[in-house]
Amino acid sequence: MFFVFPGKSGITFFILPVFLFITSFAFAQERKDSIRKNVLDEVVVTARSYKEVIPAQQLSGEKLEALSSFSVADAIRYFSGVQIKDYGGIGGLKTVDIRSMGTNHLGVFYDGIEIGNAQNGTVDLGRFSLDFIEEISLYNGQKSEIFQSAKDFGSAGTVYLRTRRPKFAGNKKTNFVSYFRTGSFDLVNPSVLWEQKINKNISSNLNAEYVYSSGKYKYRHTRYNSDGSIANDTTAIRENGDIHSLRLEGGFNGYLEQGSWNIKGYFYNSEKGLPGAIVGNVWYNPQRQWDRNAFVQGNFQKQLFKNYDFLVNAKYSNDWMRYFNLDTIAWDDAGCRADKTLWVDNRFSQQEFYISTSNKYSILPAWDMNLSVDYIWNTLDANLEDFVYPTRNTLLAVLATAFEWRQLKGQASFSGTFIFDNVKKQDAYQPDDKQEFTPAVFLSYKPLKRQNLNFRAFYKRIFRMPTFNDLYYTHIGNINLRPEFTTQYNLGFQYDKQLKKGIINYLNFRADAYYNEVIDKIVATPKGGSGGGSLYRWEMMNLGYVEIRGIDVSAQIAWNFPADIQINTSLNYTFQKAQDFTDKNSKWYGGQINYIPWHSGSAIAYAQWRTWDLNYSFIYVGERYHNPANTRENYSPPWYTHDMTLGKTFKFKKSPFGEDPGRLKISAEINNMLNQVYEVITCYPMPGRNYKLILKMEI
């Protein structure tokens, strides 16, 4: 199979080994001890039993459902090493930063395929509901499995969102689940899920969700002078934070002999207000945003021979966004404020086509090799003046290996990335083609055969390309930007034990120490004429060099008490020292980078007693600075929240769709119980104490 990439030097041909597996047929060998069989309703699925080198942090099942979390971003807050940027409210932008390396270094995968955004590289996790999510996993470095797409190897950290796959009890052929949420901020949030068993090998599902909220909540806005005296202390109501959104998704799942397949469609449409920052005594901002995201994706996996597995992923996505601002300050060519205002109505449309193949061959029962090749096509259209209409062709190729030798497990990979950008504007500068090669090594050692004690280490070098906005946004983009490189080093251990006697049923403890470097960090800096830089006109530059040192510690304990009381507890703690060493002459040289706390942590306690469940969660974020200059006026105080959920489950005698009894669950949530005043992002006040009532019916 051939792909053609137009470049400045002519036509460049690359041969994708999509069908190279044909040549490996002659080398297939029988392997008796590397196959694991799972029987599901007379369908046999076979796959290699992988053992993780670097275990993931996970939330799934009832624990995930019990959290006082409205979206995926809310749930990820409970992982160690994670910082959430939350701009407030139900519809506010929510992004994730892992180990201080930046949001763009985190890959987000939805049922095994990455959610892309070539325009700005940011995935808003606030638009993914938890109703349809079965498990959330967070990996540092990468997922500990080599049989995956090349994109899976291409991020400094990854979040995997696995949606619910239909399961049917007995002779049941239909599952129906519905939620209804209401509460503070005039929230109205119904959702339904329909799962249908078509035959013993194929099932389908359809999920729909609607969200409305006025986004109005009281907040307290306090600012201090440099001497510590109060400059402003006001109580107001947050305005223009409303949201109307509709999400539809569904698909088909199938099992094959020694394989599986699925296809999924997704559609999201929303209109929301952007309440903006509270600065300069401006309490209302008129900005609005419309989003429309749609994609179709699928994968096919099959063990063609006992030594050979084949995987193909494909996706097409179309994203449209409109940003409207009726009150924007105008600036002249010298960077000075003009005596007029202007309105902004920017519209962006981006498309992506993605295809990937993975080919795993087992050389020995404990030694595998994998070759993955991905091709991605991205394009961006906008109504901006002098826009260059960029197109990006990306080829990714990864050769990876995994082995086990006695108590030692290891994985290694070598990635090649080839990027070809073109712009349609005739008088625009054509960007250079880029190619980069990055390695990764992961090791795990178990010193004691009878104890589940594992020591682990990894090294990974990765980079991220500048986004379309970084390179081509009118009057802001910089065509000469270099890729941003990240180097990661990690040492850690994990101990877990299953206990048969006593009140403690399970114990898990893990700790990691890490050191990261970010080189050629892409930053935005103000620019303007001789009158000084304006805060409206910016340019993108490679300026940053950041060193990050940190420790992640977590513990999980499962308790069994008399009278059928079960309690699961989880504690997470993170220490980070993320220093900016960009400019030795600057006053913030060596200071903590903005919005990274030195200390943060979380605690969860989930209790079950018969048909009752109670969940308590606590989040703490320590002191930090909202500017690289670590001065008093840039100081952000610590904040914390206490949340609690109480639920009661009622069972029907019989479901209308089968013998399995139906269930009705009523839950009540109280969030920020102590009504703490806090801001995740400076000048974006978060809600105080708020409530939610949830009804869930499952038949």
Side-chain angles (χ1 to χ4, degrees):
M1 174 176 280
F2 294 88
F3 283 98
V4 182
F5 301 93
K8 294 189 303 181
S9 58
I11 303 297
T12 305
F13 292 88
F14 282 90
I15 301 177
L16 294 183
V18 175
F19 300 109
L20 281 184
F21 66 89
I22 297 175
T23 61
S24 66
F25 286 178
F27 301 100
Q29 300 175 8
E30 182 175 357
R31 187 184 60 208
K32 297 181 180 180
D33 57 344
S34 63
I35 303 297
R36 178 169 53 96
K37 295 186 178 180
N38 300 308
V39 180
L40 291 174
D41 192 20
E42 301 180 0
V43 179
V44 178
V45 180
T46 58
R48 174 69 182 269
S49 178
Y50 285 97
K51 298 179 180 179
E52 292 185 321
V53 178
I54 307 294
Q57 301 181 68
Q58 291 182 337
L59 284 170
S60 61
E62 293 178 340
K63 295 179 183 179
L64 179 61
E65 182 181 335
L67 288 178
S68 299
S69 301
F70 187 75
S71 69
V72 170
D74 296 329
I76 291 177
R77 298 180 304 170
Y78 297 98
F79 292 144
S80 60
V82 168
Q83 296 83 43
I84 298 292
K85 290 188 176 180
D86 190 334
Y87 292 82
I90 296 293
L93 177 67
K94 295 176 176 65
T95 61
V96 178
D97 181 4
I98 181 171
R99 291 186 172 181
S100 306
M101 289 176 287
T103 299
N104 289 333
H105 284 286
L106 182 71
V108 181
F109 289 78
Y110 199 67
D111 282 340
I113 299 179
E114 187 172 23
I115 302 170
N117 188 337
Q119 180 182 349
N120 57 35
T122 300
V123 177
D124 181 7
L125 292 175
R127 65 181 176 94
F128 293 97
S129 170
L130 290 177
D131 292 353
F132 200 36
I133 301 295
E134 192 169 66
E135 181 180 82
I136 301 175
S137 303
L138 173 67
Y139 290 87
N140 290 302
Q142 64 195 37
K143 188 177 181 180
S144 295
E145 182 175 325
I146 64 167
F147 188 41
Q148 57 190 4
S149 68
K151 289 281 283 184
D152 292 70
F153 297 86
S155 301
T158 49
V159 170
Y160 285 84
L161 309 177
R162 181 163 60 85
T163 60
R164 171 171 163 157
R165 195 169 184 124
K167 299 176 183 177
F168 303 93
N171 62 351
K172 194 176 182 184
K173 294 185 177 182
T174 302
N175 295 326
F176 179 81
V177 183
S178 65
Y179 287 88
F180 181 80
R181 295 179 177 88
T182 187
S184 301
F185 326 129
D186 305 308
L187 175 66
V188 177
N189 176 210
S191 71
V192 294
L193 170 65
W194 182 282
E195 297 176 335
Q196 186 67 41
K197 182 179 180 180
I198 299 174
N199 58 42
K200 69 176 184 179
N201 295 328
I202 301 175
S203 62
S204 65
N205 55 65
L206 178 64
N207 180 235
E209 180 186 35
Y210 172 76
V211 178
Y212 166 76
S213 173
S214 67
K216 293 183 179 181
Y217 55 86
K218 289 184 179 180
Y219 66 92
R220 183 176 176 181
H221 182 72
T222 305
R223 287 294 174 266
Y224 298 89
N225 297 313
S226 58
D227 60 0
S229 61
I230 294 178
N232 192 321
D233 191 355
T234 304
T235 300
I237 295 178
R238 194 69 158 144
E239 300 283 352
N240 196 43
D242 63 295
I243 180 172
H244 301 257
S245 71
L246 174 67
R247 178 180 58 84
L248 300 170
E249 60 181 297
F252 295 89
N253 303 278
Y255 293 101
L256 306 167
E257 183 179 356
Q258 299 182 339
S260 64
W261 61 269
N262 73 73
I263 184 169
K264 174 187 293 292
Y266 176 96
F267 175 80
Y268 178 82
N269 189 71
S270 72
E271 176 188 352
K272 58 187 174 184
L274 303 178
I278 307 300
V279 292
N281 290 321
V282 176
W283 310 98
Y284 178 81
N285 294 275
Q287 294 96 333
R288 307 289 296 176
Q289 181 172 316
W290 292 260
D291 291 280
R292 186 173 64 241
N293 310 97
F295 66 74
V296 177
Q297 68 178 43
N299 70 62
F300 172 87
Q301 177 181 338
K302 185 172 175 59
Q303 187 178 58
L304 299 179
F305 292 94
K306 291 184 179 180
N307 286 48
Y308 176 74
D309 294 273
F310 175 70
L311 169 68
V312 59
N313 295 317
K315 179 178 182 179
Y316 170 76
S317 63
N318 189 307
D319 300 325
W320 176 86
M321 189 266 280
R322 178 190 177 193
Y323 169 77
F324 181 77
N325 188 358
L326 193 61
D327 186 21
T328 302
I329 299 172
W331 304 84
D332 60 22
D333 293 336
C336 300
R337 181 168 177 162
D339 294 329
K340 63 178 180 179
T341 60
L342 55 89
W343 59 273
V344 174
D345 190 357
N346 289 340
R347 306 183 187 207
F348 303 90
S349 177
Q350 57 176 316
Q351 297 182 76
E352 177 177 293
F353 172 73
Y354 167 75
I355 187 168
S356 166
T357 63
S358 300
N359 307 270
K360 181 176 70 68
Y361 183 79
S362 297
I363 301 173
L364 295 173
W367 182 19
D368 294 341
M369 297 288 293
N370 181 70
L371 175 65
S372 297
V373 180
D374 295 5
Y375 168 71
I376 310 108
W377 171 82
N378 297 100
T379 185
L380 178 65
D381 192 2
N383 65 344
L384 300 177
E385 181 184 359
D386 296 326
F387 194 64
V388 298
Y389 306 100
T391 298
R392 173 172 293 175
N393 291 277
T394 304
L395 178 68
L396 306 173
V398 176
L399 182 63
T401 185
F403 69 90
E404 295 183 26
W405 182 70
R406 296 181 180 178
Q407 284 92 358
L408 180 66
K409 294 185 293 185
Q411 295 179 2
S413 61
F414 187 76
S415 304
T417 304
F418 308 89
I419 297 176
F420 309 87
D421 280 7
N422 289 279
V423 296
K424 292 183 179 179
K425 197 169 184 295
Q426 294 184 355
D427 57 346
Y429 176 78
Q430 290 291 333
D432 294 328
D433 299 337
K434 293 181 174 62
Q435 62 180 26
E436 299 290 347
F437 299 94
T438 51
V441 179
F442 295 76
L443 296 172
S444 175
Y445 180 68
K446 183 180 179 181
L448 305 173
K449 291 184 178 180
R450 297 185 179 181
Q451 296 292 331
N452 289 325
L453 174 65
N454 291 274
F455 293 91
R456 55 179 180 248
F458 75 81
Y459 159 83
K460 184 173 184 178
R461 181 169 172 81
I462 204 64
F463 79 102
R464 72 107 170 168
M465 270 295 295
T467 65
F468 282 162
N469 281 359
D470 295 338
L471 294 167
Y472 310 118
Y473 199 95
T474 305
H475 305 308
I476 295 178
N478 179 358
I479 197 69
N480 296 312
L481 283 177
R482 299 182 298 276
E484 183 177 305
F485 280 88
T486 299
T487 305
Q488 301 169 261
Y489 304 88
N490 187 99
L491 289 172
F493 75 93
Q494 174 171 302
Y495 175 77
D496 61 87
K497 188 174 182 64
Q498 195 81 36
L499 302 173
K500 297 182 180 180
K501 297 181 180 180
I503 62 172
I504 297 180
N505 183 47
Y506 175 75
L507 173 66
N508 177 280
F509 182 81
R510 56 192 293 172
D512 288 271
Y514 52 89
Y515 170 74
N516 302 329
E517 291 181 342
V518 182
I519 301 173
D520 279 340
K521 189 171 181 63
I522 299 171
V523 297
T525 59
K527 75 172 183 177
S530 58
S534 80
L535 296 180
Y536 179 74
R537 296 163 60 90
W538 297 74
E539 65 179 343
M540 308 305 298
M541 302 180 67
N542 289 107
L543 286 179
Y545 171 67
V546 174
E547 293 183 0
I548 304 158
R549 296 167 177 84
I551 298 173
D552 291 343
V553 180
S554 66
Q556 289 82 38
I557 303 176
W559 311 76
N560 280 328
F561 292 95
D564 297 327
I565 298 176
Q566 298 179 336
I567 300 178
N568 290 288
T569 55
S570 174
L571 295 172
N572 293 281
Y573 167 76
T574 296
F575 167 79
Q576 288 189 92
K577 189 174 184 180
Q579 297 172 281
D580 183 0
F581 292 108
T582 299
D583 184 1
K584 292 183 178 181
N585 298 318
S586 70
K587 61 181 179 181
W588 52 76
Y589 180 79
Q592 187 86 342
I593 63 177
N594 45 318
Y595 290 113
I596 303 301
W598 281 270
H599 305 277
S600 61
S602 67
I604 300 173
Y606 175 65
Q608 287 181 302
W609 178 69
R610 297 177 183 174
T611 60
W612 291 87
D613 61 79
L614 176 68
N615 189 84
Y616 164 79
S617 55
F618 168 78
I619 291 178
Y620 172 82
V621 174
E623 60 182 4
R624 61 215 187 281
Y625 291 93
H626 59 261
N627 191 286
N630 293 178
T631 58
R632 184 181 181 90
E633 56 268 24
N634 295 325
Y635 175 80
S636 293
W639 62 267
Y640 54 87
T641 62
H642 301 267
D643 306 318
M644 186 173 290
T645 303
L646 176 65
K648 165 71 173 175
T649 301
F650 303 88
K651 290 187 177 181
F652 304 136
K653 291 184 178 180
K654 185 178 180 180
S655 168
F657 299 122
E659 298 178 358
D660 186 46
R663 287 170 288 275
L664 174 67
K665 183 175 181 180
I666 302 175
S667 302
E669 288 184 8
I670 177 171
N671 301 311
N672 194 1
M673 290 190 298
L674 300 185
N675 200 31
Q676 192 199 18
V677 177
Y678 73 102
E679 296 173 349
V680 179
I681 302 297
T682 300
C683 298
Y684 286 84
M686 298 294 291
R689 185 184 300 114
N690 60 91
Y691 307 91
K692 195 181 300 177
L693 179 66
I694 305 171
L695 300 178
K696 177 187 178 183
M697 183 176 67
E698 189 171 6
I699 57 177

